[in-house]
Amino acid sequence: MTKISADKKKVCKNFDENLPRVGVVGSGSFATAIVKMLVENSEKVHWCVRNEFVKGAIELRGHNPVYLTSVSFNKENLAITTDINELVSNCDVIVLATPSIYLSDAIEKMTCDYTCKIFVSAIKGIVPKVNDVVAHYLRDEFKIGFRCQAVIAGPCHAEEVAMERLSYLTIATAEDKVGEILKKLFASDFINVHTSKDILGNEYSAILKNIYAIGAGMASGLGYGDNFAAVFVSNAIREMEVFLEAIYEEPRDVNESAYLGDLLVTAYSLFSRNRSLGNLIGKGYTVKSAIQSMNMIAEGYYAADSVYKTGKEKGLDLPIINTIYNILYEEKSAEKLFKKLTLKLN
Amino acid sequence: MTKISADKKKVCKNFDENLPRVGVVGSGSFATAIVKMLVENSEKVHWCVRNEFVKGAIELRGHNPVYLTSVSFNKENLAITTDINELVSNCDVIVLATPSIYLSDAIEKMTCDYTCKIFVSAIKGIVPKVNDVVAHYLRDEFKIGFRCQAVIAGPCHAEEVAMERLSYLTIATAEDKVGEILKKLFASDFINVHTSKDILGNEYSAILKNIYAIGAGMASGLGYGDNFAAVFVSNAIREMEVFLEAIYEEPRDVNESAYLGDLLVTAYSLFSRNRSLGNLIGKGYTVKSAIQSMNMIAEGYYAADSVYKTGKEKGLDLPIINTIYNILYEEKSAEKLFKKLTLKLN
C-alpha cells in the first residue's frame, strides 16, 4: 500500500510540473508514427520494440528498418528496449501500439509495478484472446481502471504523420486532467489534438471502421462504383451510431473527426489493409486465400466476429456488419449478400 | 379557370393510371444520364436540348455528341426538340437539368400553359439572376408552388449511371403521392430511389457540397493530405447541418445518402469540377485564371457567394464557407486562410 501511494504521489507530481515520462510499445508503422509525434515534445521517448534486430537497426541507423523507414530519429531522443518491464518502470505514460493480436504477448510479460501509470491504447482492434476491446482487457486482466486509461483516435495514416502532414488526434480519457497532459505530449505543428470523454465510443469506432473498410473493399471488388461507395459509407456511419449508442451511452456526435473522419480515411484509402482484404474477396478470392495472400494483419477480420456477436446479443439491427460477418465467417457469397444489402441501404 | 381545372383532371388521371409523360431540359452529362434512367421505364422520353446541332447529332447517331457519348439510345424512345414550349406542352413531368447559370435562359422562353405540371430540379446550383435556389426561383418567378415541385438529390456521378453502376437517388416532394409517381419513373435495376419531404434541405445540400468540394480541392492543392481531408469533410457535414437547420426546419438526418453521400462523392472525386477549381487555387493560380483555365462551370463558385451572404444574414457560424468565400471573392491568400481554418476544425 505504501508503495502504491508513493507511486501515486510521484505520478501526480510529475504530471503537475513536467511532461510525464512516456514510452511506446510496438514497432509497426503506427507505433513509429507515434514515436515521431512524441519526440517533438519529449527529450527522451522510451520505445519497446519487438526484437533485438529492430532495436539494433534503429540504434545503428536512426530509423525503423521495416516500417516508416523514411522517418529519421535523433538517437539521443530514444531509449530503446525489448523488455516491457524496463519500459513500464521508466515511464508514467505507456502508449500501446502493437497490432491487437500481439498485445497480449507483449503486455502479459509485465511483472513490474504499473500502479498509477496511464495506459494509452493506440490499438484499433479486438484482443483475440478475450474477444473484447483493449479497454476491457486492461481493466479485467490487469486491473487498470478507466481512470488510468486513454484511447487515441482520429483519422491518422502513419504515412502522412511521417511526412508531417497536418493530422488530428482525439484523445479520450475519463479525467479531463489526464486528457490535458496527454495533449501536451502529442500536440505539435503537425498534430492537432482534441480531447473527449468517450473512451469506449472512440475505441469501438476505431474497430468498427476497419470492418466497414473491409465492406467498402468488397463493394469495390464486386464492381460497385463511387456512387455506391458514398451510399455505403453514409449508411455505415449511421449503423456505427446505433452500435455505439447501445454499447456506451454518452453524448457524442458521430460526425466528429474521431468517428466519421476515421471511417472516411480508412474506407477511402487504397492503402488500407482492411479495404484490400475486402477487395480481394469481392473479386472472388476465398476468405482464406485472401488472408494468406495479404501477408498482413487486417484487424477488421477479427473485429467482425466480435462485433457481430455483440450486436446479436444486444439485438441490434446492423445489416452491414451482418453482411460482412456472413461473408467472412459463414462462406456466404459476397455477390449475393451485397445484392441483398443494397436493398437495405438508403 | 376552366382550362386549369381540365388540366388538373388530366394530370391527375394520368398520374393515377399510367406513368406520366416525362421530359428533360438540358443536354449536359447529368441531363443525359437522367434521360438514360427514364428510358428504362418510359416508352417515350421528351428531351429539350440546347441547339439544333445537338438535336441532329442525337437523332442521327443515337447518342449525345458531347457528353456521355458512350450512352446509346434507341431513337424511337426519344422525342427531341430545342423548343421548351413543345416539351412542356407534351409532358406532365419536366426535369430541369441544365447548369444553373443557363436555367433562366432556357425556362424564361416558356410561354405555354404549365399549370399542374410537376417541375423536378436536378440542378445543383444557385440561379445567378436571382441569387437564390431553383425552388425559390420557380416559386417566385413562375408561380410554381412547392406542391408542383420536386428535387432530385443523391450521390450520382453521371459517368457511373452511363455504366449502369448501382446509384441511389433521393426524390424530395411536398406530396407523398408525387414522390411515389416520380419513383416509378426513375427506379430501375441500377437506380434505387428513396423519397423525402425535405425539398429545400435537399436542394441546399446539393449546392453546399459543391462549395465544400472547392474547399477539399483547395486543401489538396495546398498540400494537405488524406488525414486532413477526412477531418475537413467531417467538419463540413456538421457545418452543413447548421446551415440546413437554420434555412428550413425539418426532421432530417444529414448522414443520409442525399446529404452526406452526395458530399462524399463530390469531395472525394478527382473528376469534380468544383474540386478541380479549388485544387488550382490551392496550387497558387489566381481565382480568375483558375476559372478561365477550366473552361467548365464550377457551380460552387456562384453558390459560395450566395450561401456566404445567407449565412451572414442569419448570423450563422460557418468557418469553412467563410474561408472559401474570402479566398474566392476577397482575394485572400488560400494558404493563410486555411492555416487559420485548421485551428477551428476538430
Side-chain angles (χ1 to χ4, degrees):
Chain A
M1 276 305 289
T2 326
K3 192 168 179 291
I4 293 173
S5 18
D7 259 349
K8 241 184 200 155
K9 243 189 189 163
K10 194 179 121 218
V11 172
C12 294
K13 192 169 166 276
N14 259 332
F15 281 14
D16 283 339
E17 288 167 17
N18 308 307
L19 274 183
R21 300 165 302 163
V22 65
V24 176
V25 181
S27 40
S29 54
F30 199 44
T32 308
I34 287 174
V35 174
K36 177 171 169 60
M37 294 176 201
L38 294 170
V39 292
E40 290 284 312
N41 297 311
S42 295
E43 278 177 25
K44 186 72 83 185
V45 173
H46 299 262
W47 191 358
C48 179
V49 299
R50 201 168 174 189
N51 56 38
E52 290 295 332
F53 162 70
V54 175
K55 177 175 185 283
I58 301 174
E59 282 172 344
L60 187 67
R61 305 189 197 280
H63 66 78
N64 187 321
V66 190
Y67 297 101
L68 292 200
T69 51
S70 65
V71 176
S72 289
F73 294 103
N74 185 337
K75 287 170 267 181
E76 285 167 17
N77 296 137
L78 302 178
I80 306 176
T81 178
T82 56
D83 176 358
I84 189 145
N85 286 301
E86 186 183 326
L87 180 119
V88 173
S89 302
N90 284 321
C91 293
D92 310 305
V93 171
I94 297 103
V95 183
L96 303 171
T98 64
S100 62
I101 61 162
Y102 298 138
L103 175 64
S104 49
D105 282 353
I107 200 175
E108 285 175 8
K109 293 182 195 131
M110 194 165 66
T111 51
C112 62
D113 179 24
Y114 51 83
T115 332
C116 299
K117 298 183 188 277
I118 303 292
F119 286 81
V120 182
S121 170
I123 294 167
K124 300 176 175 194
I126 293 288
V127 183
K129 195 179 171 183
V130 292
N131 203 21
D132 207 342
V133 294
V134 174
H136 288 156
Y137 172 68
L138 294 179
R139 182 195 62 188
D140 299 342
E141 305 285 318
F142 296 89
K143 311 299 169 214
I144 299 169
F146 279 12
R147 293 175 65 183
C148 290
Q149 288 196 30
V151 165
I152 293 182
C156 206
H157 277 315
E159 292 73 11
E160 293 204 334
V161 174
M163 292 187 278
E164 301 192 0
R165 281 183 158 181
L166 182 64
S167 303
Y168 289 61
L169 287 183
T170 296
I171 297 181
T173 56
E175 309 244 2
D176 291 341
K177 194 181 150 195
V178 176
E180 289 308 316
I181 289 159
L182 295 177
K183 190 171 179 174
K184 283 186 196 158
L185 281 175
F186 282 91
S188 67
D189 283 351
F190 56 94
I191 302 290
N192 279 5
V193 177
H194 292 86
T195 56
S196 154
K197 297 188 87 93
D198 188 16
I199 294 186
L200 273 180
N202 275 294
E203 182 163 11
Y204 264 113
S205 139
I207 290 167
L208 286 160
K209 66 119 206 282
N210 285 332
I211 311 176
Y212 294 127
I214 292 180
M218 286 173 173
S220 164
L222 287 164
Y224 292 91
D226 292 348
N227 291 346
F228 181 76
V231 171
F232 180 85
V233 172
S234 68
N235 278 269
I237 189 70
R238 280 174 281 151
E239 188 174 291
M240 184 189 283
E241 190 171 20
V242 169
F243 187 90
L244 296 184
E245 277 179 13
I247 286 291
Y248 187 53
E249 254 188 77
E250 171 81 22
R252 70 170 71 84
D253 181 348
V254 290
N255 286 349
E256 286 183 2
S257 301
Y259 314 94
L260 176 61
D262 203 10
L263 173 63
L264 292 179
V265 94
T266 312
Y268 276 103
S269 168
L270 300 179
F271 304 104
S272 154
R273 322 164 186 196
N274 293 290
R275 197 179 187 287
S276 302
L277 175 68
N279 194 258
L280 289 173
I281 296 167
K283 283 191 170 148
Y285 281 62
T286 64
V287 175
K288 199 174 163 191
S289 63
I291 290 173
Q292 282 170 347
S293 78
M294 285 190 55
N295 204 17
M296 284 192 298
I297 298 141
E299 300 272 14
Y301 174 74
Y302 303 100
D305 179 44
S306 169
V307 166
Y308 169 80
K309 286 171 182 159
T310 306
K312 214 165 178 190
E313 264 168 42
K314 294 192 175 282
L316 304 176
D317 182 29
L318 309 171
I320 304 179
I321 293 290
N322 296 351
T323 298
I324 296 166
Y325 172 85
N326 278 306
I327 296 166
L328 291 180
Y329 289 95
E330 300 290 336
E331 296 183 21
K332 298 278 170 67
S333 147
E335 192 182 346
K336 283 184 190 160
L337 289 203
F338 261 77
K339 207 156 215 166
K340 277 189 190 167
L341 179 65
T342 62
L343 304 175
K344 295 181 186 163
L345 306 183
N346 64 59
Chain B
M1 276 305 289
T2 325
K3 191 168 180 295
I4 292 173
S5 14
D7 258 349
K8 241 183 199 157
K9 244 188 187 163
K10 194 179 123 218
V11 171
C12 292
K13 191 167 167 279
N14 258 332
F15 280 14
D16 283 338
E17 289 168 18
N18 306 307
L19 272 184
R21 300 164 303 161
V22 64
V24 177
V25 180
S27 40
S29 54
F30 199 45
T32 308
I34 287 173
V35 174
K36 176 170 170 62
M37 295 176 202
L38 294 171
V39 292
E40 291 284 312
N41 297 311
S42 296
E43 278 178 24
K44 187 71 88 185
V45 173
H46 298 262
W47 191 358
C48 180
V49 299
R50 203 170 174 187
N51 55 39
E52 289 296 333
F53 163 71
V54 175
K55 178 175 184 283
I58 301 174
E59 282 171 344
L60 187 67
R61 304 189 198 281
H63 66 77
N64 186 322
V66 189
Y67 298 100
L68 291 200
T69 52
S70 66
V71 176
S72 289
F73 294 103
N74 185 337
K75 287 170 269 180
E76 285 168 15
N77 295 139
L78 302 179
I80 304 175
T81 177
T82 57
D83 176 0
I84 188 144
N85 285 301
E86 187 184 325
L87 179 119
V88 173
S89 302
N90 284 321
C91 294
D92 310 306
V93 171
I94 297 105
V95 183
L96 303 171
T98 64
S100 63
I101 61 163
Y102 298 136
L103 175 65
S104 49
D105 282 355
I107 200 175
E108 284 175 10
K109 292 180 195 131
M110 193 166 68
T111 51
C112 62
D113 179 25
Y114 51 83
T115 330
C116 298
K117 296 183 188 279
I118 303 291
F119 286 81
V120 182
S121 171
I123 294 167
K124 299 176 176 194
I126 293 289
V127 183
K129 195 179 171 184
V130 293
N131 203 21
D132 207 343
V133 294
V134 174
H136 288 156
Y137 172 69
L138 294 178
R139 181 195 63 188
D140 299 341
E141 306 284 319
F142 296 89
K143 310 298 168 215
I144 300 169
F146 279 13
R147 293 175 64 182
C148 290
Q149 287 195 31
V151 166
I152 292 182
C156 206
H157 277 314
E159 291 73 11
E160 293 204 334
V161 175
M163 292 186 279
E164 301 191 0
R165 283 185 157 179
L166 181 64
S167 303
Y168 289 62
L169 287 182
T170 295
I171 297 182
T173 56
E175 310 242 4
D176 291 341
K177 193 181 152 194
V178 176
E180 288 309 316
I181 290 160
L182 295 177
K183 193 172 178 174
K184 285 186 194 159
L185 282 175
F186 282 91
S188 68
D189 282 351
F190 56 93
I191 302 290
N192 279 7
V193 177
H194 292 86
T195 56
S196 154
K197 298 190 86 96
D198 188 16
I199 294 186
L200 273 181
N202 276 294
E203 182 164 11
Y204 264 112
S205 139
I207 290 167
L208 286 160
K209 65 117 207 284
N210 286 330
I211 311 176
Y212 293 128
I214 293 180
M218 285 173 173
S220 164
L222 286 164
Y224 291 91
D226 292 348
N227 290 347
F228 181 76
V231 170
F232 180 85
V233 171
S234 69
N235 278 267
I237 190 69
R238 281 174 279 152
E239 189 174 292
M240 183 189 281
E241 189 170 21
V242 169
F243 187 90
L244 296 182
E245 277 180 10
I247 287 292
Y248 188 52
E249 255 188 75
E250 172 80 23
R252 70 171 71 83
D253 182 349
V254 291
N255 286 350
E256 286 182 1
S257 300
Y259 313 94
L260 177 61
D262 203 9
L263 173 63
L264 292 180
V265 93
T266 312
Y268 276 103
S269 167
L270 299 178
F271 304 104
S272 154
R273 324 167 183 194
N274 293 290
R275 199 180 185 286
S276 301
L277 175 68
N279 194 257
L280 290 172
I281 296 167
K283 282 191 170 149
Y285 281 62
T286 64
V287 175
K288 200 174 161 188
S289 62
I291 290 173
Q292 282 170 348
S293 78
M294 286 190 55
N295 204 16
M296 284 193 297
I297 298 143
E299 300 272 14
Y301 175 74
Y302 303 100
D305 179 44
S306 170
V307 166
Y308 169 79
K309 285 170 183 158
T310 306
K312 215 167 175 186
E313 264 168 42
K314 296 194 174 278
L316 304 176
D317 183 29
L318 308 170
I320 304 178
I321 294 290
N322 296 351
T323 297
I324 296 167
Y325 171 85
N326 278 305
I327 295 166
L328 292 180
Y329 289 95
E330 301 289 337
E331 296 184 20
K332 297 278 171 66
S333 149
E335 192 183 345
K336 282 184 190 162
L337 289 203
F338 260 77
K339 206 155 217 167
K340 276 190 193 170
L341 179 64
T342 62
L343 303 175
K344 295 180 187 164
L345 306 182
N346 63 59

